[in-house]
Amino acid sequence: MSVTGSNVFQGRRVLLIEDEFFIAYDTAINLQTNGAYVIGPVATIDEAMETLAAAGHVDGALLDLNLQGDMSYPVADALLQRGVPFVFTTGYDQGAIPPRYSGVKRCEKPLDLVKVAEALFQ
Amino acid sequence: MYQQFSRSVVEVDVIDPRELDDTFERVITQRLGVLPHVYRRVGSRDRFDDRGALWAFAKRSYLDNPLPSLFKERAFIHLSRLTRVRYCLARHSGYLIGKGYPAGDRSAQPQAITELLALLGQPLPDGEAVEAAVARLAAIEAPLGIPEPGSLREKELFAVLSALFIDPPRWRQHAEWLARVFGNASLDALRALLAYVKAEHFWAESHPDVDFEPDIAALLQQSPEFAQRLFGDEPAATLIPDAAMRGMLAEMKRTRDALDGLQDRNAFLLKLGDGLRPLSDPEPVQREASRLLRDFLRADQAHFAEIDELTESIRIVDDRMGEGVAVSPDRAIAPIRAAIGELRTGATIVINDVSRFSRFDPDGKRLCFENGIRSLVCVPILKDGSLIAALSVASYGPRRWTSQDVALIEDVAERVSSAIERAHAEQKLKLREAELARVQEISNVGGIDVDVASGFLGRRSPEYRRIHGLPDHVRYESHASWLSRVHPEDREQADRTFQEAMAGTAAIYESEYRIIRQSDGATRWIYAKIDIERGADGRPTRLVGAHTDITDRKLGEEAVRDSEHRLRILMEGIPQLVWRSRDDGEWTWASPQWQSFTGQSVAEAMGLGWLEAVHPDDRPTAREAWTRAAEVSVLDVEYRVRRASDGAYLWHHTRSTPVRDEAGNIIEWLGTKTDVQQMKELQENQALLVAELQHRTRNLIAVVRAIAQQTMTITGPTPAFQEQFGRRLAALARVQSLLSRSEEEPITIDALVRLELEAIGGQAGVPKGADISGPPIRIRHSIVQTLALALHELATNACKYGALAAEGGSLSVTWSIVNAAEENTYVRLVWLEYGPALSEASRDAMQGGYGRQLIERALPYTLHARTQYELSENGVRCEIEIPIAKEKRRPE
């Protein structure tokens, strides 16, 4: 199912980090539908770090802020270091995120992939 | 032969010498041939002068006495020898040999000096001689004339006269013999002569300033023999026949010797005083006194012996006194026990000759002989009635100790023992002073002694000098000097304190002030405490006291004050209500915060007064907390306290722990009350918010479910979707409910399993045939939702198609912990259905679909679980292994 008309994720390698199976499953299908090559999805910080290290080029990432009770900042730091654009996917308020991630966009669930694409690639 | 004088005596009027000195003296000179000093004027003219009376007496009883002139003069000389009145002895010796006229008789032929010397050399009569003379005279019948000069009879007469002269009443009988032999007229003349001799003796002796006349002085120079006879040291007393007479003579001699020796003795005592003064130790004092005494008395030994009656030993202070004589330094008392006993009574022992001394123990006698001592004087020295020492002076030959000797030795003993007392006292004082100095040094106290009468000039002890930094040589210091050392800021106050204490009636002066220490300029705190001695008029006479350097204490106090100040600021500054309490909750102090919050004064809050500010409903709680506090040493309670500003009761958390002393006893409690009203309100708000959130979540799920069903009624009848979507949302809602209660009620596997099975069983609860067993295992929130959904799918299938769908089927759900001790701990849950053979349709329904996908994909994805789902003919077997050790987290 394509949510946008312009295949904004066409050819993009997108890393999906989301601990909730159903959301991860649904989001992955949506991304693929929109032309993305989905890396993952993965549900934990450790898996995310391992996957990122092994993934080669990554065009962007969707990062759930809370992974099974842990804040996903280590992954965020790794992404920033790699220069990989990413968004926080969360239900939290903006204020709950540390200031050092002020440049990172936050996308509330349920996700609007158009906004995600804008945040990642524009 | 003597010429017999006629009785026709020239009558001479008594001349008043005050008017006629020259005439008087001329008359005398004419009669006597010289002017004797007894008839010279003594003193000024206005003094009573009875030379005239004496002259009248002399003429009648001596000069004009009818006895032969030479006899009279020789008798005079003889009698003068008895009493040793040297002036008379010398003067009348002069008359006899022609210096002037014998008995005032120009016609009398003076005698040769040899005759005089023979007279002077005659032994003086003793008792036996008198008795013998009287006996011989008594044998004579016929009356005799006055005997010739130098005759035996003259000697006999002189012997009897001597007795009459010394003690007339006793020899009255002998006077009768004289009358019988020489006739009454002669006896009267003899008596008159004796009377005059006595008068002139008395005259001469009572005028000690009467000196020898020039002619006599010349004679003494010309004839050493004469001088020798005149002043020779004959012990006249032994020749006096009677003890009483001897005593009297001895007394007369003593008096004379005393006069003679007075100067010598005074000189000696002066010398002794000079010798002893610089000595401060007892032994040198004794040694020096012994030496001086021995030399002065020309004795052979003198020493002090310290006597210890307890140990019966004697310690001779100085052996050197007895040169060449072995004297052991320590002797037992035993040989001289009798002597010691005598000394103990305070009596001086005088031994002229040891060999004739009967009161001595034989051993004591032997001891003396061993040491060559023949005579000795031993003076006891008593202290508080007991014998402590003796001063002995000894000679190697027999010696007649005079009373002067004894008195002198006693005097020296007395002086030395008081000198020693003084020396002991000084030594003690020195020791005490040294001790005092040490004590002062140890305690940093400086002594002070001010004699106010001498103008506040104070004596400073060494420690005082140290404290004040004064140089060592400063012993005295004035008030002004002290004041100048006081710190300028304290000076006025210090002086005023001092002056007021002096002016008032206080017995003690106390002051604290700073000084600039002279030696190093350091500022030191001084504490002075001084006794004020006051005179009868109340004015201070003497100040005795001490200065203490209290700088360290002061600095300590300052530090404590600072620290207390900081603590007070802290206690009064923190936003808590601070208080102090006794063990029973009775307050002893309340901080200003408490006062301003509750409006209670400190006095009102004291004791249990603070309870008034506590909400009436909470007072029992507040009281009860104290009874618990004693047991657990912590007070921890919450109750409401009334705020004075608006009367509102605000929740406060009271916390306190006891303050203990070093022994661990509780001194007091120090506690705080913290306003927890806001926190309480926040907690309440939070609880409300959580409840609200749950409500909304479940509502939201209900709304989603309703929208989905309504949408499907329009998009087409899809009952299967409706049914499945509906119950899955219901399961989700149940889990949310469970999660929201998880704060109070931890979520266990048991609870999850039952929740889902009960949901299927409806009102009946867990369906029949279901067997659920396993240990209580708490599970993480993040697991709950996914696991619950998986269990829901299993339960639903079991109920619709599986073991629980038909009669005779059974379900067992069991779980356990695997590898509990190891790292890879996990929970294994086994879902086992067994029942009649499943229909093809049932098997198809259970084979695929959402439930299986959830178990085989979602659980592994989300929970890293290993799952196994087997569908057989008779049922389902599903195994789920969920790691429960939390995965390692990377540091953020």
Side-chain angles (χ1 to χ4, degrees):
Chain A
M1 185 174 73
S2 172
V3 291
T4 65
S6 58
N7 283 348
V8 285
F9 287 101
Q10 188 61 49
R12 305 282 190 184
R13 291 170 61 85
V14 177
L15 174 58
L16 176 57
I17 305 157
E18 167 60 57
D19 63 343
E20 186 59 54
F21 171 75
F22 294 107
I23 296 172
Y25 184 74
D26 194 43
T27 307
I29 287 173
N30 280 341
L31 286 169
Q32 282 169 356
T33 307
N34 282 284
Y37 175 79
V38 176
I39 305 167
V42 291
T44 64
I45 291 171
D46 287 349
E47 285 171 329
M49 301 297 279
E50 285 165 18
T51 307
L52 182 61
H57 179 73
V58 178
D59 290 308
L62 282 71
L63 177 59
D64 188 357
L65 198 59
N66 186 326
L67 296 175
Q68 296 184 0
D70 295 326
M71 301 306 287
S72 60
Y73 300 135
V75 183
D77 293 337
L79 290 168
L80 283 175
Q81 203 182 353
R82 283 272 301 260
V84 176
F86 69 100
V87 293
F88 283 123
T89 60
T90 178
Y92 288 107
D93 291 340
Q94 183 74 47
I97 300 169
R100 69 175 185 270
Y101 305 117
S102 58
V104 179
K105 288 269 169 51
R106 185 177 57 97
C107 295
E108 288 170 14
K109 296 175 191 173
L111 293 171
D112 181 343
L113 287 185
V114 174
K115 283 187 178 168
V116 172
E118 280 172 6
L120 287 177
F121 307 125
Q122 286 177 18
Chain B
M1 284 290 281
Y2 282 122
Q3 294 171 349
Q4 289 290 322
F5 263 83
S6 69
R7 287 182 179 271
S8 57
V9 184
V10 180
E11 292 291 333
V12 177
D13 290 330
V14 173
I15 299 157
D16 184 355
R18 279 175 298 186
E19 291 171 15
L20 293 162
D21 265 351
D22 288 350
T23 314
F24 179 66
E25 288 181 5
R26 199 159 49 245
V27 167
I28 288 164
T29 309
Q30 270 180 354
R31 179 63 193 269
L32 297 177
V34 293
L35 178 65
H37 283 164
V38 285
Y39 291 113
R40 280 195 194 280
R41 159 174 291 287
V42 174
S44 59
R45 283 170 180 275
D46 58 350
R47 280 174 57 177
F48 179 69
D49 190 341
D50 56 349
R51 287 177 294 161
L54 183 69
W55 178 243
F57 192 6
K59 282 202 295 179
R60 184 161 320 269
S61 300
Y62 163 47
L63 303 173
D64 297 334
N65 188 312
L67 293 170
S69 295
L70 285 181
F71 174 80
K72 283 189 291 185
E73 212 55 91
R74 285 174 65 89
F76 213 131
I77 291 165
H78 174 79
L79 295 171
S80 296
R81 284 181 67 208
L82 286 178
T83 56
R84 303 187 55 77
V85 180
R86 287 180 186 166
Y87 170 78
C88 295
L89 191 56
R91 179 68 261 164
H92 289 273
S93 295
Y95 290 144
L96 188 67
I97 59 168
K99 313 284 184 189
Y101 311 123
D105 186 1
R106 282 168 194 268
S107 60
Q109 178 65 42
Q111 292 204 297
I113 191 156
T114 51
E115 289 170 292
L116 170 67
L117 291 175
L119 175 64
L120 291 174
Q122 278 179 14
L124 287 172
D126 57 11
E128 283 172 28
V130 174
E131 291 299 339
V134 169
R136 271 198 293 280
L137 289 172
I140 295 164
E141 291 291 334
L144 291 176
I146 296 301
E148 289 296 322
S151 65
L152 185 65
R153 187 126 302 156
E154 189 196 44
K155 263 186 207 166
E156 286 167 352
L157 183 53
F158 281 176
V160 178
L161 284 178
S162 297
L164 276 179
F165 186 73
I166 297 295
D167 194 357
R170 188 186 165 89
W171 303 96
R172 222 174 21 245
Q173 226 181 341
H174 297 75
E176 284 173 29
W177 289 117
L178 287 180
R180 264 186 37 203
V181 176
F182 299 106
N184 280 327
S186 291
L187 179 63
D188 290 338
L190 286 167
R191 274 180 173 149
L193 178 66
L194 294 185
Y196 176 70
V197 171
K198 277 221 162 173
E200 198 184 293
H201 281 178
F202 179 78
W203 186 276
E205 289 206 310
S206 59
H207 293 81
D209 48 341
V210 170
D211 205 349
F212 298 123
E213 293 81 10
D215 55 342
I216 299 300
L219 180 63
L220 285 170
Q221 268 197 326
Q222 283 161 23
S223 170
E225 213 175 344
F226 173 63
Q228 170 61 33
R229 289 263 191 263
L230 215 55
F231 300 115
D233 227 350
E234 293 177 74
T238 57
L239 305 176
I240 299 302
D242 183 85
M245 221 180 293
R246 191 159 61 226
M248 190 167 68
L249 282 173
E251 189 50 47
M252 287 163 69
K253 181 179 190 301
R254 260 200 297 282
T255 311
R256 204 165 43 246
D257 284 354
L259 284 173
D260 290 348
L262 196 58
Q263 257 180 323
D264 286 352
R265 199 159 159 251
N266 282 341
F268 168 73
L269 291 175
L270 217 63
K271 201 165 153 193
L272 184 73
D274 288 345
L276 301 189
R277 198 167 299 112
L279 302 173
S280 55
D281 292 337
E283 286 207 14
V285 167
Q286 293 172 340
R287 197 171 297 137
E288 180 66 5
S290 305
R291 190 183 65 79
L292 290 169
L293 189 61
R294 182 195 58 178
D295 292 351
F296 181 75
L297 291 176
R298 287 189 284 277
D300 297 308
Q301 282 188 21
H303 58 243
F304 280 86
E306 286 177 355
I307 298 165
D308 187 342
E309 289 202 82
L310 212 62
T311 60
E312 299 221 314
S313 65
I314 295 177
R315 197 168 76 87
I316 305 295
V317 167
D318 197 348
D319 293 344
R320 292 182 305 166
M321 292 304 101
E323 282 165 350
V325 177
V327 181
S328 63
D330 292 294
R331 297 172 181 162
I333 280 177
I336 49 167
R337 197 178 296 284
I340 294 287
E342 209 163 309
L343 291 171
R344 206 182 288 128
T345 67
T348 298
I349 296 175
V350 182
I351 303 174
N352 291 337
D353 188 342
V354 171
S355 58
R356 294 162 74 177
F357 188 71
S358 55
R359 299 204 307 277
F360 238 159
D361 303 16
D363 286 344
K365 223 174 250 192
R366 189 171 46 78
L367 200 64
C368 286
F369 281 121
E370 275 171 12
N371 290 296
I373 291 169
R374 189 72 188 274
S375 59
L376 79 108
V377 174
C378 185
V379 179
I381 297 169
L382 303 176
K383 187 181 179 185
D384 302 330
S386 47
L387 181 68
I388 57 160
L391 168 58
S392 302
V393 180
S395 286
Y396 297 149
R399 170 161 177 167
R400 172 174 293 278
W401 301 100
T402 66
S403 58
Q404 280 83 14
D405 294 341
V406 174
L408 183 68
I409 296 165
E410 284 173 345
D411 195 358
V412 169
E414 169 80 35
R415 279 166 195 250
V416 167
S417 66
S418 64
I420 287 169
E421 284 279 294
R422 199 175 57 239
H424 275 308
E426 277 173 11
Q427 256 185 349
K428 231 187 244 175
L429 191 66
K430 264 188 210 161
L431 276 174
R432 284 288 302 141
E433 280 187 347
E435 272 172 30
L436 186 65
R438 274 179 61 195
V439 169
Q440 286 187 353
E441 193 180 327
I442 289 164
S443 53
N444 227 6
V445 168
I448 183 167
D449 184 353
V450 181
D451 183 3
V452 178
S454 62
F456 289 139
L457 199 64
R459 194 172 69 81
R460 310 307 199 199
S461 73
E463 191 53 24
Y464 181 98
R465 294 197 296 272
R466 204 183 67 76
I467 288 172
H468 283 259
L470 301 179
D472 259 359
H473 60 82
V474 174
R475 292 287 190 278
Y476 292 89
E477 190 188 28
S478 70
H479 178 74
S481 165
W482 161 75
L483 196 57
S484 70
R485 192 163 55 250
V486 176
H487 193 285
E489 287 174 24
D490 297 350
R491 193 172 294 155
E492 198 188 317
Q493 176 65 41
D495 194 32
R496 191 162 58 242
T497 305
F498 178 78
Q499 299 297 355
E500 280 170 4
M502 294 303 106
T505 56
I508 295 275
Y509 151 75
E510 271 184 291
S511 187
E512 279 187 17
Y513 50 83
R514 287 166 294 171
I515 58 158
I516 307 290
R517 191 158 61 192
Q518 199 164 310
S519 54
D520 58 1
T523 300
R524 305 296 293 179
W525 274 97
I526 299 292
Y527 166 69
K529 184 171 183 180
I530 286 166
D531 260 14
I532 306 173
E533 289 176 14
R534 294 181 185 276
D537 59 356
R539 297 174 61 165
T541 53
R542 184 157 176 254
L543 314 175
V544 180
H547 278 204
T548 313
D549 188 323
I550 54 165
T551 309
D552 293 346
R553 198 186 79 197
K554 276 280 179 186
L555 292 177
E557 280 176 3
E558 235 167 73
V560 167
R561 228 178 8 250
D562 283 354
S563 145
E564 279 177 351
H565 182 63
R566 281 198 298 274
L567 190 62
R568 201 174 60 240
I569 286 176
L570 180 68
M571 279 166 71
E572 294 178 358
I574 57 173
Q576 271 93 356
L577 316 179
V578 190
W579 47 266
R580 289 160 68 182
S581 171
R582 293 214 305 267
D583 214 6
D584 49 7
E586 295 202 8
W587 285 15
T588 55
W589 180 78
S591 73
Q593 296 97 304
W594 170 268
Q595 298 165 45
S596 64
F597 184 83
T598 62
Q600 276 193 328
S601 69
V602 173
E604 284 166 343
M606 290 302 93
L608 292 172
W610 56 274
L611 271 174
E612 290 298 313
V614 174
H615 193 286
D617 292 350
D618 297 344
R619 284 173 199 168
T621 312
R623 291 289 290 142
E624 198 213 338
W626 272 106
T627 57
R628 280 199 316 271
E631 294 163 21
V632 295
S633 287
V634 170
L635 182 73
D636 194 340
V637 62
E638 284 185 3
Y639 48 76
R640 286 161 288 177
V641 180
R642 190 176 182 277
R643 182 162 63 195
S645 58
D646 57 0
Y649 282 96
L650 302 188
W651 280 100
H652 278 76
H653 183 189
T654 297
R655 251 193 86 78
S656 177
T657 48
V659 180
R660 295 175 189 275
D661 63 15
E662 283 170 4
N665 302 312
I666 293 176
I667 302 168
E668 63 169 0
W669 292 72
L670 183 62
T672 58
K673 290 186 188 308
T674 310
D675 182 349
V676 293
Q677 183 69 30
Q678 245 185 330
M679 209 201 293
K680 280 240 166 206
E681 284 170 7
L682 279 172
Q683 281 172 352
E684 277 166 22
N685 281 350
Q686 201 177 25
L688 283 173
L689 277 173
V690 169
E692 174 74 12
L693 192 63
Q694 280 174 7
H695 176 72
R696 284 187 192 176
T697 308
R698 297 180 70 172
N699 264 1
L700 187 64
I701 293 168
V703 168
V704 168
R705 191 172 152 184
I707 289 170
Q709 292 200 349
Q710 280 167 21
T711 307
M712 278 182 279
T713 58
I714 294 163
T715 58
T718 50
F721 173 81
Q722 264 183 330
E723 190 265 327
Q724 288 184 26
F725 185 66
R727 61 182 171 78
R728 283 174 187 146
L729 280 183
L732 206 53
R734 281 195 299 278
V735 174
Q736 296 310 315
S737 170
L738 203 60
L739 282 169
S740 67
R741 290 201 311 274
S742 67
E743 285 292 323
E744 301 96 64
E745 199 180 309
I747 302 168
T748 61
I749 290 174
D750 187 63
L752 271 187
V753 170
R754 281 173 192 283
L755 185 74
E756 291 310 319
L757 288 175
E758 277 167 7
I760 289 162
Q763 293 297 315
V766 174
K768 270 196 213 161
D771 178 25
I772 304 164
S773 70
I777 298 171
R778 290 178 63 164
I779 48 176
R780 289 188 275 138
H781 290 183
S782 54
I783 294 175
V784 170
Q785 189 167 297
T786 312
L787 184 58
L789 286 175
L791 290 169
H792 169 75
E793 293 303 325
L794 286 168
T796 304
N797 280 351
C799 196
K800 283 179 92 170
Y801 316 108
L804 299 181
E807 283 293 316
S810 66
L811 166 65
S812 107
V813 186
T814 55
W815 62 93
S816 59
I817 290 179
V818 182
N819 293 339
E822 293 167 32
E823 217 169 75
N824 53 338
T825 308
Y826 55 91
V827 178
R828 174 190 281 155
L829 185 143
V830 178
W831 180 283
L832 194 60
E833 292 175 38
Y834 185 82
L838 296 168
S839 67
E840 194 72 22
S842 295
R843 287 182 62 165
D844 286 347
M846 292 163 77
Q847 189 63 257
Y850 182 75
R852 193 154 178 191
Q853 187 192 19
L854 195 65
I855 290 163
E856 293 187 326
R857 295 184 60 190
L859 286 179
Y861 178 82
T862 313
L863 310 179
H864 287 194
R866 290 182 296 279
T867 58
Q868 200 177 12
Y869 186 90
E870 283 173 31
L871 185 63
S872 66
E873 221 172 285
N874 292 94
V876 174
R877 177 191 163 88
C878 178
E879 255 187 61
I880 302 170
E881 293 177 354
I882 307 166
I884 53 169
K886 208 167 175 184
E887 288 179 20
K888 281 180 190 168
R889 284 159 57 172
R890 290 161 188 250
E892 282 181 37

